[in-house]
Amino acid sequence: MTNETLNPQSNTPLPDYSLSPEGEQFSIPQAHDYRAEFEHIETLAQQARSEGKEIVVVMGVGFVGAVMAAIIADTENEKGESTKFVIGCQRPSTRSYWKIPLLNRGESPVKAEDPEVDEIIKRCVLEKKTLTATYNSECLKLADCVVVDVQCDYTKHDLGDMRSGETEMAALEETMRTIGRLIPPSCLVLIETTVAPGTTEFVAWPILKKAFAQRGIDVDPLLAHSFERVMPGKEYVSSIRDFWRVCAGCDDRARERVELFLREVLNTGDYPLTVMDRPIESETTKIVENSYRATILAFLNEWSMFAERNGVDLIKVIDAIKMRPTHSNIIFPGPGIGGYCLPKDGGLGYWAYRHILGFEDGDSIFKITPTVIDINDTRALHAAELTRDALRNMDRYIAGAEVLICGASYRQDVGDTRYSGSEMVARKLTEMGAEMRVHDPYVDHWYELENQDFYPSPELSWKQFFRNQEELKNIRVQKDLPKALKNVEAVILAVPHKSYLDLNPDDVVSWAGNPLAVIDCFGILPDDTIRRYFELGCEVKALGRGHVQRIKKEVQKQR
Ligand SMILES: NC(=O)c1ccc[n+]([C@@H]2O[C@H](COP(=O)([O-])OP(=O)(O)OC[C@H]3O[C@@H](n4cnc5c(N)ncnc54)[C@H](O)[C@@H]3O)[C@@H](O)[C@H]2O)c1
């Protein structure tokens, strides 16, 4: 090990390589590599500029930045000529460095169900040669435009109490300082990160202004905000390029520049751009639209409990309501509301009101947004209770039981596991003594569990909320369902992936080798299937589906 950086947890040296999700090792560049790297990037940029291309640096090539970088690099004029040269810039940390060499091979650092992700990255890197990646932030000196796609997290200190949390914006602030130190004065900086309202104008702009003043530059930095609405899944690329955007600039010049840029790189002809007066309005739009979505989901939690206890199938209730076009966006909440955005975005707004905008009455103003997040964050615990109860009804105990959770991702038919309800279920059941297994056709590694000591970070891991989590590090996602089911006592259908929708109860019981407890978290089981499980001697419990008890009684009567 040559790298002396210490792991803040263990105080031991961090490895001098970065490991890709596929297990490939990439050596972390050393100080003497930086100069040659910059010269290489500078040569590419000069060539591109001589061909009339604009140089765009995308800071952070994660879930959003990697794909946005490719979309920008794919931009062409009416003559079919490329108009942008894009440099994806990423910190060379042990956790993230691997994304750079992968991108430079024309491979996507993001695993997606949308085939266009791999295609567009390959095309831009290897064929059009309009996309490259580097770890050297000096590339900012070459930029006409910088797009910021680094993360801005919300750390929760207590499970089910988002009010005690805080915004973690160190990465964003550090990025802004680096940008201010290096960009040319006429460069447009576009923040795409979802931020606490006020961040662009009252945090980022002052950082850039201060850096410009230190450099003796006497013009205002050109700063704008336009948030992402990307949806991981089959329409990944389209959800960025062919989707409605909102933007705002800190002043008129920035507003004009950001409008022009977005009209060039996105399909604003079919999906019109909304231009707002100030960045705080664009920032607030993102927070409100996600809080609205989180609210609809949280609202159904109480009706889900009502339904379970009163013989009502909430799935049928929702289907009936959806017939009204005015109510068509009502959706069943499943075992918790995951994804990167909905669990945190309301927190950014609540926090900003006090810590950026300076108001002390946040707790009397914000009644719904914090409650909603707390409800969504803890809903999954009820799925663990149902598993315990189902086993109890079969005269078995959760402690020591072999339990298979089907689905690790946060929604159907995607491989994104960030803050999935399944994680909360697995953690709670592990705390209660269950031996967990996991199956998911879309997920290869469940990083939140396998790397729970440092991923996403020690403060952000849900591990902190539970006892006895150590064993979960060793969990491996299984792909063969019959094998995964062998000898399990309970199976939790946590995500409605396609392959779980038509499972035959006779097969499931025969693969398990015994009647088992079946927990349906997402309205996956049709009534006939539920009935068949009971006939086979299984116990069935389902979130929000009280009619299951009625089916059980019918089967018992027939016996
Ligand atoms: N992923 C989604 O589904 C989604 C949807 C809508 C909006 N967003 C928003 O987009 C933003 C980015 O999210 P993401 O999912 O891409 O996050 P991510 O964690 O996948 O990516 C962020 C990247 O930035 C890098 N980074 C951090 N500091 C850096 C620095 N100083 N210089 C260069 N790189 C740096 C990180 O290493 C990481 O690779 C967030 O604000 C998020 O809320 C995400």
Side-chain angles (χ1 to χ4, degrees):
M1 304 218 175
T2 51
N3 189 328
E4 277 314 300
T5 317
L6 295 184
N7 180 333
Q9 253 38 59
S10 56
N11 234 12
T12 51
L14 283 169
D16 53 4
Y17 59 83
S18 170
L19 210 54
S20 79
E22 267 66 48
E24 192 175 347
Q25 275 191 20
F26 296 96
S27 299
I28 300 225
Q30 303 297 306
H32 57 80
D33 296 320
Y34 277 66
R35 193 188 172 126
E37 171 75 0
F38 178 68
E39 284 169 4
H40 165 65
I41 296 291
E42 191 179 31
T43 309
L44 294 178
Q46 277 167 353
Q47 171 68 27
R49 205 185 289 287
S50 72
E51 293 161 4
K53 297 189 180 87
E54 191 179 23
I55 311 298
V56 181
V57 173
V58 175
M59 294 296 278
V61 287
F63 279 87
V64 176
V67 183
M68 182 63 183
I71 288 170
I72 301 168
D74 206 34
T75 308
E76 293 177 349
N77 61 18
E78 317 77 59
K79 292 189 228 154
E81 297 160 344
S82 297
T83 56
K84 312 277 178 212
F85 179 73
V86 181
I87 306 165
C89 181
Q90 174 66 52
R91 289 177 305 185
S93 60
T94 44
R95 195 175 118 196
S96 294
Y97 171 67
W98 57 269
K99 296 174 193 175
I100 297 167
L102 223 64
L103 257 173
N104 282 334
R105 288 201 314 227
E107 291 171 33
S108 169
V110 179
K111 201 162 177 286
E113 289 73 41
D114 179 0
E116 205 185 345
V117 170
D118 287 340
E119 284 161 22
I120 193 170
I121 288 179
K122 191 171 162 203
R123 180 167 69 241
C124 292
V125 175
L126 302 179
E127 292 164 31
K128 293 184 166 186
K129 299 197 188 302
T130 49
L131 176 60
T132 190
T134 182
Y135 52 86
N136 190 343
S137 53
E138 298 272 310
C139 67
L140 287 162
K141 290 178 179 166
L142 310 166
D144 299 307
C145 174
V146 178
V147 177
V148 180
D149 277 318
V150 305
Q151 72 277 21
C152 175
D153 288 308
Y154 189 76
T155 308
K156 292 170 192 156
H157 297 300
D158 304 288
L159 180 59
D161 180 12
M162 71 76 108
R163 290 176 196 264
S164 64
E166 63 200 312
T167 299
E168 180 43 73
M169 57 201 297
L172 184 71
E173 288 174 304
E174 184 204 318
T175 305
M176 295 316 298
R177 279 191 286 273
T178 310
I179 292 172
R181 197 162 49 75
L182 295 165
I183 52 167
S186 61
C187 177
L188 170 71
V189 180
L190 166 56
I191 298 179
E192 290 202 327
T193 301
T194 304
V195 291
T199 299
T200 303
E201 232 173 323
F202 308 132
V203 179
W205 210 21
I207 291 176
L208 291 185
K209 283 179 180 170
K210 193 168 162 193
F212 271 26
Q214 280 166 355
R215 291 167 62 193
I217 301 170
D218 64 358
V219 294
D220 275 344
L222 290 168
L223 182 62
H225 181 261
S226 174
F227 61 87
E228 276 293 352
R229 284 168 163 157
V230 59
M231 278 297 285
K234 290 194 189 65
E235 314 268 299
Y236 208 126
V237 175
S238 223
S239 73
I240 297 181
R241 185 188 52 210
D242 309 309
F243 213 71
W244 299 269
R245 268 289 182 124
V246 176
C247 70
C250 285
D251 55 22
D252 291 347
R253 284 166 58 238
R255 187 166 58 232
E256 280 161 26
R257 281 281 298 274
V258 72
E259 252 197 272
L260 188 69
F261 178 74
L262 292 175
R263 288 191 197 287
E264 276 182 302
V265 301
L266 303 178
N267 181 4
T268 53
D270 295 326
Y271 301 89
L273 185 64
T274 303
V275 184
M276 305 194 96
D277 291 336
R278 293 181 55 198
I280 194 171
E281 290 172 325
S282 158
E283 294 164 334
T284 306
T285 305
K286 173 69 177 178
I287 302 301
V288 173
E289 75 179 33
N290 275 352
S291 298
Y292 166 71
R293 190 75 168 161
T295 304
I296 298 178
L297 289 155
F299 154 73
L300 280 178
N301 179 58
E302 57 206 39
W303 291 106
S304 175
M305 300 303 289
F306 173 93
E308 265 174 46
R309 290 166 185 174
N310 293 285
V312 175
D313 184 1
L314 190 66
I315 295 290
K316 296 190 190 100
V317 170
I318 287 175
D319 286 345
I321 293 171
K322 275 168 122 171
M323 300 295 279
R324 278 185 68 165
T326 50
H327 288 50
S328 60
N329 69 353
I330 188 167
I331 47 170
F332 186 80
I337 317 305
Y340 184 47
C341 298
L342 294 204
K344 75 168 167 58
D345 286 357
L348 297 177
Y350 168 79
W351 181 90
Y353 185 69
R354 178 170 191 186
H355 294 285
I356 295 181
L357 303 165
F359 291 93
E360 292 300 325
D361 61 347
D363 286 329
S364 56
I365 295 285
F366 284 102
K367 300 283 189 213
I368 293 175
T369 303
T371 307
V372 155
I373 290 184
D374 293 345
I375 290 171
N376 291 341
D377 279 354
T378 50
R379 177 168 162 82
L381 301 176
H382 184 49
E385 290 172 342
L386 291 184
T387 313
R388 175 203 62 200
D389 294 349
L391 283 168
R392 232 184 230 168
N393 289 355
M394 299 176 86
D395 295 325
R396 297 180 193 168
Y397 299 105
I398 190 67
E402 294 281 342
V403 178
L404 173 70
I405 188 156
C406 284
S409 60
Y410 82 92
R411 61 192 284 261
Q412 66 272 33
D413 303 319
V414 305
D416 191 340
T417 53
R418 291 181 295 174
Y419 300 115
S420 73
S422 304
E423 179 184 345
M424 190 65 76
V425 177
R427 291 200 179 282
K428 183 65 194 171
L429 287 173
T430 299
E431 182 176 81
M432 290 159 80
E435 300 289 337
M436 293 305 300
R437 304 179 193 176
V438 58
H439 175 275
D440 196 304
Y442 301 95
V443 176
D444 294 334
H445 290 278
W446 200 350
Y447 292 111
E448 286 77 2
L449 302 187
E450 289 182 29
N451 299 331
Q452 60 183 359
D453 294 334
F454 50 91
Y455 183 84
S457 71
E459 311 78 52
L460 292 172
S461 171
W462 278 346
K463 176 188 166 199
Q464 62 177 312
F465 300 130
F466 299 93
R467 295 172 63 239
N468 296 341
Q469 300 291 295
E470 285 315 304
E471 266 305 301
L472 284 176
K473 259 197 285 203
N474 302 321
I475 205 162
R476 292 296 172 264
V477 182
Q478 304 196 38
K479 298 287 178 183
D480 181 337
L481 189 57
K483 226 166 136 188
L485 271 164
K486 197 167 186 302
N487 294 331
V488 301
E489 291 168 82
V491 61
I492 302 169
L493 300 169
V495 187
H497 289 325
K498 239 194 239 106
S499 54
Y500 301 149
L501 300 183
D502 302 320
L503 285 174
N504 179 341
D506 292 77
D507 289 342
V508 171
V509 172
S510 110
W511 293 330
N514 263 308
L516 71 171
V518 181
I519 294 55
D520 176 4
C521 298
F522 238 120
I524 292 170
L525 301 177
D527 290 358
D528 286 348
T529 306
I530 296 172
R531 186 168 294 110
R532 184 64 191 149
Y533 276 119
F534 281 125
E535 286 167 0
L536 290 166
C538 298
E539 176 68 13
V540 181
K541 294 263 173 202
L543 281 180
R545 309 190 75 188
H547 76 307
V548 169
Q549 284 310 313
R550 210 166 47 238
I551 298 176
K552 183 177 175 180
K553 286 213 176 99
E554 282 165 16
V555 173
Q556 281 170 345
K557 251 194 218 153
Q558 278 165 11
R559 279 200 186 128

